Amino acid sequence: MKEVKSVEFKNTEETVPKNRVEQKEIKAVDFKYATDVVSEEQFNAHTKLYNGYVKKLNEVDAILQGDGMRSEANAIYSYYRGLKKGVTFSLDSVILHELYFSNISYYGQSPGEKTTAFLAESFGSYEAFLKDFTATCMSARGWCLTVYDQRSERLRNILCDAHDEGIILGSYPIIVTDMYEHAYFYDYLTDKEAYINSVIRGLNWEAIESRAARLQRS
């Protein structure tokens, strides 16, 4: 754990709670380049960023294993509040990137039986899904997620402008698309639509079908 030089605890006996439960570090997934969606250079730069989020998550978790200045916690501003916001921001980023890297592949795959039926049930047809998916991607500043919403009992395309903003509670993602410029700018510059079309052509429908199959619906 790196020392946080800007923070001085008033009572050093409180820096490590006596009943602390040792937490395991999050391990980064070693993703290999296997997609037509982006170039290898773009992919490697992106996975480097992902590894940075894993590292920061572990740093924040390590600090929270101590006191984290809990006694000075405040909703307006406090060090502890910053740590807690850091957890959700970095952890959501880690999870979203892992889902994204896992659901892009080579061109030429087709949706599976369960996924096709599921998309038709929620959007009317696969073509209608693609129109809404594309528009949602074009509107997103951070992520486009195709999720199953338990409350409305259907799939929705939603957008998130930050890793920890806009996610529907209890929803289950089956398709995750990174729409931050860092995901495509090296290859596509400002041609966002070309990147989206490439994502659609290179979706890993086998992985998506596996996610859809896990949903237990009444």
Side-chain angles (χ1 to χ4, degrees), residues 150-174:
Q150 296 185 66
R151 186 64 182 87
S152 56
E153 298 183 335
R154 66 181 178 91
L155 291 175
R156 293 178 181 269
N157 289 315
I158 64 172
L159 61 83
C160 303
D161 287 338
H163 306 313
D164 58 348
E165 184 273 329
I167 297 175
I168 298 173
L169 292 177
S171 64
Y172 177 80
I174 66 167

Side-chain angles (χ1 to χ4, degrees), residues 61 80 92 117:
D61 275 345
Y80 192 73
D92 278 346

Side-chain angles (χ1 to χ4, degrees), residues 135-188:
T136 306
C137 284
M138 289 295 295
S139 303
R141 298 171 183 169
W143 296 91
C144 172
L145 312 179
T146 303
V147 303
Y148 178 72
D149 168 37
Q150 296 185 66
R151 186 64 182 87
S152 56
E153 298 183 335
R154 66 181 178 91
L155 291 175
R156 293 178 181 269
N157 289 315
I158 64 172
L159 61 83
C160 303
D161 287 338
H163 306 313
D164 58 348
E165 184 273 329
I167 297 175
I168 298 173
L169 292 177
S171 64
Y172 177 80
I174 66 167
I175 304 174
V176 172
T177 306
D178 193 338
M179 292 308 306
Y180 280 103
E181 290 177 345
H182 66 240
Y184 62 86
F185 201 81
Y186 183 90
D187 292 334
Y188 298 95

Side-chain angles (χ1 to χ4, degrees), residues 17-64:
K18 295 180 179 179
N19 62 343
R20 181 182 73 171
V21 177
E22 194 70 28
Q23 302 293 330
K24 293 182 179 179
E25 283 197 344
I26 300 294
K27 301 297 183 183
V29 178
D30 184 18
F31 288 101
K32 303 299 183 183
Y33 178 68
T35 180
D36 290 323
V37 175
V38 294
S39 67
E40 188 170 5
E41 292 80 4
Q42 173 72 77
F43 183 85
N44 289 339
H46 202 170
T47 55
K48 183 177 180 180
L49 182 69
Y50 154 74
N51 278 278
Y53 280 116
V54 174
K55 180 181 178 182
K56 282 300 176 184
L57 173 60
N58 286 324
E59 288 180 6
V60 174
D61 275 345
I63 295 170
L64 286 169

Side-chain angles (χ1 to χ4, degrees), residues 48-114:
K48 183 177 180 180
L49 182 69
Y50 154 74
N51 278 278
Y53 280 116
V54 174
K55 180 181 178 182
K56 282 300 176 184
L57 173 60
N58 286 324
E59 288 180 6
V60 174
D61 275 345
I63 295 170
L64 286 169
Q65 284 288 288
D67 177 79
M69 297 178 69
R70 288 181 177 85
S71 62
E72 298 184 20
N74 187 283
I76 298 173
Y77 170 78
S78 64
Y79 180 65
Y80 192 73
R81 172 182 165 80
L83 291 172
K84 286 296 187 177
K85 290 293 291 181
V87 168
T88 55
F89 187 84
S90 55
L91 182 54
D92 278 346
S93 175
V94 168
I95 295 169
L96 288 167
H97 277 100
E98 290 175 353
L99 291 169
Y100 167 71
F101 292 138
S102 298
N103 69 204
I104 58 171
S105 186
Y106 298 110
Y107 294 158
Q109 292 191 30
S110 299
E113 183 179 346
K114 288 184 174 61

